[in-house]
Amino acid sequence: MSAARDWHAHYAAGRDFKPLSDTEESVLREHLAVPDGVGNARALEVACGTGEVARLLAGLGYRVDAVDFAEAALERAAAASPSGITYHCLDVTTGGITALRARDGDTYQVITMRRAVAHLPDRTRIVAELGALLAPGGILCVITPHADRQPAQLRGICLDDPEIDMLTGGWEHIERIEAGDSTVLLLRGPGSAGVTYQE
Ligand SMILES: C[S@@+](CC[C@H](N)C(=O)[O-])C[C@H]1O[C@@H](n2cnc3c(N)ncnc32)[C@H](O)[C@@H]1O
C-alpha cells in the first residue's frame, strides 16, 4: 500500500496491523521514559495508525502529537484516546512534518515511528527531517520489521541490514535492539545534517 486512500480503506473496514508485542512495549517503556527534570515533555508519533503507541506515550506522561495520512485511522484513534493526544492528518512525505514544526516552533523529547519507515519513499530524508524536530538530547525511535525475520512475501514492509545502515548514517548515537520479528532503532542527534527549517 502506498496511497492514503488505500490505508484509509484498510482502517475504514475495521482492520488493523500487528499490535505492539510485549517485548516492544517493554523496550519503549524502558528507553522512552520522560527525562528527569523535563516538565511538559512532548512526543511526536509518526504514522500512528489507530494510536496504540500514542496512547503508550501519553501514559508515560508526554503531551503527544500523532500524525497519519489515513483519516479513518485518526478517527478510530481519537475515539479511543485520552486527552493529551492531538491527532493530525498529514502526509509526512510532502512537507507535513515541516508544517508541524511551524505551528509553534517547539521540539520533541521523543519521536516514534513504528512499522512505517519501509513504506516511505525517500525514507532517509524523512528520518533526517524528524531529527530536526528533536529537542537536544532527544530520541528518535524507529521500529521496523526486519527482512531476515519475515517471510519473503513481506519483504516490502521490512528493512534489511544495509537499508538500516543507510537509514542511520549520520546519527551520532545509534542503539539497536532486536525485538521478535522487528528491530528497534534508538537514534540520538544530530542526524539532521542538511535539513533546515524556515521559522
Ligand atoms: C503498517 S501501518 C502501522 C501503523 C502503526 N504505526 C502501527 O504500528 O500499528 C503504517 C501506517 O503508516 C501510515 N502512513 C504511510 N505512509 C504515510 C505518509 N506518507 N504519511 C503519513 N502516514 C503514512 C499509514 O496510514 C499507516 O497507518
Side-chain angles (χ1 to χ4, degrees), residues 48-51 55 71-83 85-87:
C48 62
T50 51
R55 288 188 291 277
E71 284 179 18
L74 296 173
E75 284 162 15
R76 289 177 53 191
S81 293
S83 59
I85 307 175
T86 307
Y87 288 99

Side-chain angles (χ1 to χ4, degrees), residues 51-192:
E52 185 181 22
V53 172
R55 288 188 291 277
L56 184 146
L57 292 168
L60 289 176
Y62 291 93
R63 184 156 60 92
V64 181
D65 286 314
V67 310
D68 202 288
F69 67 179
E71 284 179 18
L74 296 173
E75 284 162 15
R76 289 177 53 191
S81 293
S83 59
I85 307 175
T86 307
Y87 288 99
H88 308 267
C89 194
L90 290 178
D91 182 342
V92 299
T93 65
T94 57
I97 291 294
T98 310
L100 206 57
R101 164 121 182 173
R103 252 177 345 118
D104 58 12
D106 247 350
T107 52
Y108 297 94
Q109 277 70 40
V110 160
I111 301 177
T112 50
M113 179 164 56
R114 175 176 182 265
R115 297 182 89 88
V117 72
H119 297 280
L120 300 175
D122 201 0
R123 62 179 82 104
T124 305
R125 173 184 63 83
I126 292 163
V127 163
E129 287 184 0
L130 294 176
L133 293 177
L134 279 177
I139 301 179
L140 170 59
C141 174
V142 177
I143 303 180
T144 179
H146 194 288
D148 292 354
R149 302 194 293 278
Q150 292 283 348
Q153 66 269 26
L154 295 183
R155 179 65 183 89
I157 69 161
C158 307
L159 298 188
D160 63 14
D161 281 347
E163 288 166 338
I164 287 173
D165 288 345
M166 191 166 298
L167 189 75
T168 56
W171 285 81
E172 206 164 290
H173 301 283
I174 303 162
E175 189 172 353
R176 180 175 161 159
I177 300 167
E178 306 309 330
D181 70 3
S182 293
T183 296
V184 182
L185 301 167
L186 298 167
L187 309 175
R188 291 178 173 81
S192 56

Side-chain angles (χ1 to χ4, degrees), residues 6-80:
D6 296 331
W7 293 103
H8 170 81
H10 178 94
Y11 290 112
R15 295 164 66 201
D16 272 302
F17 292 97
K18 192 172 181 174
L20 278 175
S21 67
D22 291 347
T23 313
E24 285 175 278
E25 183 169 337
S26 39
V27 168
L28 294 179
R29 289 187 183 284
E30 179 183 345
H31 292 272
L32 303 185
V34 172
D36 286 343
V38 176
N40 208 13
R42 295 188 61 186
L44 171 63
E45 157 64 348
V46 179
C48 62
T50 51
E52 185 181 22
V53 172
R55 288 188 291 277
L56 184 146
L57 292 168
L60 289 176
Y62 291 93
R63 184 156 60 92
V64 181
D65 286 314
V67 310
D68 202 288
F69 67 179
E71 284 179 18
L74 296 173
E75 284 162 15
R76 289 177 53 191

